[in-house]
Amino acid sequence: MGSLNPLPGGGRSPDGAPCGLPARRPGWTLPQPYFTDTGIYRLDIERIWKQGWLFAGHACEIPQTGDYFLVEFDTESVIVIRGAQGAIHALHNVCRHRGSVICTEREGHATRLVCPYHQWSYDLDGRLVAWRGMQSDLDKADFPLNRVAAREVAGLIFICLAGSPPSFDAAAACLGPVARPQGLDRARVARAVDYVVHANWKVVWENNRECYHCNVNHPQYTQANFDHYNADDTPPRVREVMAAVVSRSEARWASAGLAPTRTDPGMTPFPDAARGIWFSANRTPLVDGWVSESMDGRQVAPLMGDYPDADVGTLRVRTLPNFWNHSSCDHAVSTRLLPLGPEATAVRVWWLVAADAVEGRDYDPATLMPFWQLTSEQDWLICERQQKGIRSSAYQPGPYSTFKEYNVEAFVAWYLTCLGAGAEAPPAMAAAPDDDSPVPLQSAGPR
Ligand code: FES
Ligand SMILES: [Fe+2]
């Protein structure tokens, strides 16, 4: 594909698209180049992926001092490592001598970070501590590994490659109270599956932001959830059932100290570029008779975290540009996106259970995994079909359903806001909601 080479730092055209980029009609899908063009992909990397907070992985993946994993996308490689006193550090995986990468395994354990080229050795916080053969008029203190901002909330690790990262405080204040009872910081990874989805990362997000496709494409998911219903197609009978489930759940959850939910059908509005909302978390009920997003709705692993019993609905967390989590009383499923190019996205899906759960005794991957594995893979398939169609000369933008795709429109508005923000941190990602903002910090609703 060719490149449009849009000029960076430009303003915004009247249609909302950044100047120099193809115009979008509001309420309609983006023009083809946003999904295929290498120049726009570069802007995505520079203005979104290198400016915002990215989900890296789980704190429970690096429980011991010296445990690490890498996060790699585009030209970047970042070491996320557990240092002394439990601190989590994120360090560029680039030696300060002649630039070799230092860690070559995707995950591992180190007492020191030793460059494989000439063995410059760094402490777990990135300080250079040994450099055999170097002259004495240089000072080791001048050559630490370059740091990347890192924050942990409720067992979830986020990193930001920006020189001046946007504030994470509003996200931590939103996600922490809702997610903490899940006990993701006291969990273990039961399984992780890696995918390469041959679709632009925005195609994957747009799919995540609507359940218009659910009835036909997700026969398992729609058995467990209400969010495939929308304002235009929720029968009175279903509204009554939802209202009863919600009011019962709210009362139970409030007494257990869990955040309540909302009563409207459809997906909770997210994101909201105008209010700087790139994060949200909520708890929502499953249908009657289901306590877990498993194939038959039954519990498939021991209770996680602080849950008093299995009736806790489902916890939903999502952060742009690369993370969502669906958690039941007994297991949690995290999804992380990383861009591989204009038409490919690396996706990792983790299944987590309580830290002391034992495979074979307390859970079986054969019952733990299929619900979200099937649903995820159904999504990847329809994303790839869409990407294939978008590449065609016949593709032209189409209209969104205002009933069912309002969150896709919200995502595209957020995306264009970030893209048009120039070299500075996108305002949508830098801003925090006002304290008295009507925006729900624990935004409620399905998905
Ligand atoms: S490049 Fe790392 S020690 Fe030389
Ligand atoms: Fe889906």
Side-chain angles (χ1 to χ4, degrees):
M1 289 289 160
S3 169
L4 292 173
N5 284 323
L7 291 173
R12 183 175 295 282
S13 63
D15 55 46
C19 285
L21 296 179
R24 181 188 77 115
R25 182 174 171 181
W28 290 57
T29 62
L30 289 162
Q32 182 193 56
Y34 287 96
F35 301 107
T36 58
D37 181 78
T38 52
I40 294 180
Y41 176 73
R42 293 308 317 159
L43 280 185
D44 287 3
I45 294 293
E46 297 302 326
R47 297 187 178 177
I48 294 175
W49 291 87
K50 290 187 182 174
Q51 293 294 330
W53 285 94
L54 309 180
F55 175 69
H58 304 88
C60 69
E61 295 178 75
I62 47 173
Q64 306 296 331
T65 299
D67 291 346
Y68 73 86
F69 58 79
L70 301 184
V71 178
E72 298 188 305
F73 71 97
D74 193 53
T75 56
E76 307 306 313
S77 178
V78 177
I79 306 165
V80 178
I81 190 163
R82 179 80 67 177
Q85 281 87 48
I88 291 174
H89 305 291
L91 307 162
H92 281 283
N93 188 19
V94 179
C95 183
R96 292 295 307 277
H97 179 215
R98 280 167 54 196
S100 172
V101 296
I102 296 164
C103 295
T104 55
E105 302 295 326
R106 194 161 88 172
E107 58 190 34
H109 180 88
T111 50
R112 277 186 180 176
L113 297 170
V114 180
C115 180
Y117 202 168
H118 312 97
Q119 292 74 55
W120 282 27
S121 300
Y122 302 86
D123 215 339
L124 303 183
D125 61 2
R127 280 177 302 132
L128 181 62
V129 291
W131 57 356
R132 177 185 54 85
M134 293 302 292
Q135 55 276 32
S136 59
D137 59 340
L138 294 174
D139 185 349
K140 285 200 285 287
D142 293 335
F143 300 93
L145 293 180
N146 287 313
R147 297 185 71 84
V148 173
R151 290 286 298 268
E152 179 196 344
V153 58
L156 304 169
I157 302 172
F158 293 84
I159 61 173
C160 180
L161 283 85
S164 300
S167 171
F168 189 78
D169 294 346
C174 165
L175 306 184
V178 191
R180 247 173 231 119
Q182 187 71 36
L184 291 168
D185 54 345
R186 293 158 276 158
R188 57 182 288 264
V189 175
R191 285 288 190 281
V193 179
D194 288 298
Y195 301 93
V196 174
V197 180
H198 294 281
N200 183 277
W201 67 275
K202 299 185 289 293
V203 165
V204 182
W205 259 113
E206 290 172 1
N207 172 262
N208 172 274
R209 291 292 75 216
E210 50 92 357
C211 218
Y212 193 6
H213 66 272
C214 291
N215 284 337
V216 169
N217 289 284
H218 294 317
Q220 296 81 22
Y221 180 81
T222 50
Q223 288 185 56
N225 290 277
F226 289 110
D227 57 0
H228 53 106
Y229 292 108
N230 282 283
D232 62 317
D233 63 0
T234 307
R237 174 187 55 81
V238 174
R239 283 185 187 271
E240 283 170 26
V241 170
M242 280 184 63
V245 170
V246 167
S247 77
R248 189 195 70 215
S249 302
E250 281 186 336
R252 282 182 51 80
W253 297 348
S255 67
L258 302 173
T261 183
R262 73 172 198 158
T263 56
D264 296 334
M267 295 168 65
T268 190
F270 174 81
D272 186 338
R275 295 174 189 271
I277 300 296
W278 53 271
F279 48 82
S280 79
N282 63 278
R283 186 171 300 282
T284 192
L286 296 168
V287 302
D288 265 333
W290 289 61
V291 296
S292 179
E293 288 184 316
S294 62
M295 294 298 277
D296 61 5
R298 281 187 271 189
Q299 199 173 329
V300 290
L303 292 177
M304 291 184 73
D306 304 330
Y307 293 144
D309 58 50
D311 187 7
V312 297
T314 169
L315 166 73
R316 301 287 163 104
V317 182
R318 74 286 289 172
T319 65
L320 285 166
N322 81 327
F323 175 63
W324 61 82
N325 175 286
H326 302 133
S327 293
S328 295
C329 66
D330 54 349
H331 72 290
V333 182
S334 290
T335 301
R336 181 191 70 186
L337 312 184
L338 291 170
L340 291 174
E343 299 195 63
T345 305
V347 183
R348 170 165 264 222
V349 182
W350 289 262
W351 283 257
L352 299 104
V353 294
D356 56 1
V358 176
E359 183 171 328
R361 184 190 74 185
D362 299 318
Y363 69 91
D364 178 354
T367 54
L368 179 77
M369 297 176 66
F371 184 95
W372 277 115
Q373 186 162 13
L374 283 167
T375 304
S376 298
E377 291 172 7
Q378 289 155 358
D379 279 327
W380 313 154
L381 177 64
I382 53 185
C383 287
E384 291 185 342
R385 287 175 180 160
Q386 185 191 2
Q387 183 75 31
K388 184 176 178 186
I390 287 172
R391 299 181 86 222
S392 164
S393 61
Y395 170 75
Q396 60 193 102
Y400 296 134
S401 162
T402 55
F403 293 114
K404 302 173 191 298
E405 292 172 301
Y406 48 90
N407 274 338
V408 187
E409 172 65 15
F411 168 79
V412 173
W414 169 86
Y415 165 72
L416 290 173
T417 299
C418 294
L419 206 59
E424 300 299 321
M429 308 197 70
D434 298 331
D435 286 342
D436 58 355
S437 163
V439 173
L441 280 180
Q442 297 171 4
S443 64
R447 264 213 154 179

